[in-house]
Amino acid sequence: MKVLLLNGFDRCGSSLIGGLLARHPDAAYFFQPFNRTEVHASQHEIWSEDEVHPATERFLTEFLAGRVDRDFLGADLFQKHSTAEAPRATGLNVIKE
């Protein structure tokens, strides 16, 4: 499974880039699924190697297993802008935070 994590500062164009990637027929686009994890709370920080982020790790483990953990979805943005309900085994899975 190929996964691209797309993250950027406000108004930097990351939503535009994600939207363009989402138009490709082999891409699955997941818009801001990390609403309730450490990723959202600290997305502009560099994590050190010894930091532990269990909620984010759980989300990514589920994602790599082909599932989106709905407990993380805190807003309707995911449903409105995502192009897939679950990750694809083939093609590119774009996670835009």
Side-chain angles (χ1 to χ4, degrees), residues 34 37-40 47 53-61 72:
F34 295 117
T37 69
E38 303 95 347
V39 171
H40 185 73
W47 291 351
H53 299 278
T56 300
E57 185 177 332
R58 191 176 89 229
F59 179 89
L60 291 173
T61 299
F72 289 89

Side-chain angles (χ1 to χ4, degrees), residues 7-17 32 44 96-97:
N7 192 16
F9 289 99
D10 294 339
R11 311 298 304 158
C12 72
S14 59
S15 294
L16 174 65
I17 293 169
Q32 297 187 351
H44 303 300
K96 191 278 183 199
E97 180 55 36

Side-chain angles (χ1 to χ4, degrees), residues 27-28 45 91:
E45 300 172 11

Side-chain angles (χ1 to χ4, degrees), residues 4 6 13-29 31 81 83 92 94 96:
L4 171 68
L6 179 60
S14 59
S15 294
L16 174 65
I17 293 169
L20 291 171
L21 290 170
R23 292 176 182 262
H24 194 281
D26 293 334
Y29 183 56
F31 188 82
H81 301 291
T83 62
L92 179 65
V94 179
K96 191 278 183 199

Side-chain angles (χ1 to χ4, degrees), residues 20-92:
L20 291 171
L21 290 170
R23 292 176 182 262
H24 194 281
D26 293 334
Y29 183 56
F30 301 90
F31 188 82
Q32 297 187 351
F34 295 117
N35 289 332
R36 295 184 178 170
T37 69
E38 303 95 347
V39 171
H40 185 73
S42 63
Q43 65 182 325
H44 303 300
E45 300 172 11
I46 297 174
W47 291 351
S48 67
E49 288 183 32
D50 58 339
E51 282 188 71
V52 177
H53 299 278
T56 300
E57 185 177 332
R58 191 176 89 229
F59 179 89
L60 291 173
T61 299
E62 289 290 308
F63 192 87
L64 292 173
R67 298 179 293 275
V68 173
D69 189 338
R70 301 277 181 218
D71 290 340
F72 289 89
L73 307 179
D76 63 350
L77 294 173
F78 179 85
Q79 296 291 35
K80 282 184 177 180
H81 301 291
S82 298
T83 62
E85 292 287 319
R88 296 182 185 169
T90 61
L92 179 65

